[in-house]
Amino acid sequence: EDKVVQSPLSLVVHEGDTVTLNCSYEVTNFRSLLWYKQEKKAPTFLFMLTSSGIEKKSGRLSSILDKKELFSILNITATQTGDSAVYLCAVDGKGKLVFGKGMKLTVNP
Amino acid sequence: NAGVMQNPRHLVRRRGQEARLRCSPMKGHSHVYWYRQLPEEGLKFMVYLQKENIIDESGMPKERFSAEFPKEGPSILRIQQVVRGDSAAYFCASSSHLEYDEQFFGPGTRLTVL
């Protein structure tokens, strides 16, 4: 059965800290891995990764995929209170997304 | 450039009633996906549709649930004879026809069954 596992499941940090979110997966028919941010409403798209070793960056966020070891990490540097949210990792298995349970990040001032 | 639209945002039904959830994809998107999020759980895939076709319904319960995406109009997720366990947030996502295109999510419909 397809599986996506995120760790840790929750994290509390102070503003300015750097955090690393982990996502491992076992999915047949892998097409891509996606990261979303969810703040009590619709998940908002962050990154889509299809190739190993190529880092994607957007401001203070970056992500990379390792297709050999079947995992991805999402880094957030210089965290701000607005980064507080649930971060979802999902793998596209030919159309349908298989999600992890999410990682709840709390950034305290 | 409107995003994915879902309505209603909140829906309350009594046990045994029917629930109809609507989803209008982003402009130019022809693929629609429905996901369910139970309290304290991750999102679970339900069904993948293109216009007038169900592509993958492997995540849909076999009974009481159905989905359609007609040639004209929004996609509809229909739940007949709702039970308390159907209470959840139902999210719709859409993507373009490109093979590696990301899915964009709507705001969700929160269904509460009394």
Side-chain angles (χ1 to χ4, degrees), chain B residues 4-5 21-34 47-55 60 66-78 92-96:
Chain B
V4 179
M5 313 271 284
L21 288 62
R22 293 174 185 77
C23 168
S24 296
M26 282 180 71
K27 188 176 180 181
H29 285 189
S30 56
H31 297 212
V32 165
Y33 314 80
W34 286 93
V47 62
Y48 165 24
L49 310 108
Q50 293 178 23
K51 285 283 186 182
E52 299 184 283
N53 283 309
I54 296 175
I55 306 302
M60 194 103 94
S66 62
E68 62 176 8
F69 188 15
K71 189 176 178 182
E72 301 290 338
S75 175
I76 307 280
L77 178 67
R78 183 180 176 209
C92 167
S94 73
S95 69
S96 77

Side-chain angles (χ1 to χ4, degrees), chain B residues 32-105:
Chain B
V32 165
Y33 314 80
W34 286 93
Y35 296 86
R36 176 164 65 175
Q37 188 171 37
L38 293 167
E40 307 304 321
E41 293 282 329
L43 284 95
K44 302 286 187 193
F45 168 80
M46 298 181 75
V47 62
Y48 165 24
L49 310 108
Q50 293 178 23
K51 285 283 186 182
E52 299 184 283
N53 283 309
I54 296 175
I55 306 302
D56 182 347
E57 57 182 346
S58 59
M60 194 103 94
K62 294 284 185 278
E63 296 178 353
R64 302 187 298 107
F65 285 72
S66 62
E68 62 176 8
F69 188 15
K71 189 176 178 182
E72 301 290 338
S75 175
I76 307 280
L77 178 67
R78 183 180 176 209
I79 311 172
Q80 295 178 288
Q81 299 175 327
V82 296
V83 301
R84 288 223 172 102
D86 296 332
S87 295
Y90 291 82
F91 289 95
C92 167
S94 73
S95 69
S96 77
H97 64 283
L98 300 173
E99 185 179 359
Y100 286 95
D101 205 21
E102 57 268 25
Q103 295 181 22
F104 291 92
F105 281 78

Side-chain angles (χ1 to χ4, degrees), chain A residues 44-81:
Chain A
T44 52
F45 172 78
L46 295 176
F47 297 110
M48 183 172 74
L49 304 154
T50 56
S51 302
S52 271
I54 299 173
E55 186 183 48
K56 291 215 172 178
K57 287 190 69 120
S58 176
R60 296 176 294 103
L61 279 66
S62 64
S63 184
I64 198 161
L65 173 67
D66 186 329
K67 288 169 77 172
K68 184 180 175 187
E69 300 297 329
L70 306 182
F71 79 90
S72 173
I73 59 172
L74 175 68
N75 276 320
I76 309 174
T77 58
T79 51
Q80 302 171 358
T81 54

